[in-house]
Amino acid sequence: MLSASQFLTFWGKAQPAPGAAAAWHPVAYHLLDVAAVADRLLTVRRRSLERGARLLGVAPEDARRLLVTLAGLHDLG
């Protein structure tokens, strides 16, 4: 099993600003960024969340949790 410091050595998707401390963004942070954006979008676009929940056959908050989790896992594998 990887330690947290080892996990942070995996490259993620980003193009840091010139002069940034690192030439890449750890995948762990990228996954958290994507999950946070998904959560925010589903919060402000309530009707979209409700439509998605109906399609999934679950309550809106359950759909939000599921979709945010899946967004956060999108690059693993």
Side-chain angles (χ1 to χ4, degrees):
M1 182 164 201
L2 294 175
S3 69
S5 61
Q6 289 172 313
F7 187 66
L8 292 176
T9 63
F10 288 105
W11 174 85
K13 296 178 182 177
Q15 293 181 340
W24 49 275
H25 189 62
V27 71
Y29 296 158
H30 168 68
L31 297 175
L32 290 170
D33 292 343
V34 171
V37 170
D39 187 43
R40 183 66 182 144
L41 285 172
L42 292 170
T43 299
V44 300
R45 299 187 68 171
R46 188 71 188 177
R47 286 181 12 161
S48 295
L49 173 60
E50 290 169 355
R51 254 184 272 136
R54 277 194 304 276
L55 288 171
L56 291 168
V58 298
E61 284 309 303
D62 292 335
R64 185 187 62 78
R65 283 191 287 271
L66 172 65
L67 294 169
V68 168
T69 298
L70 292 175
L73 297 174
H74 78 279
D75 270 340
L76 294 182

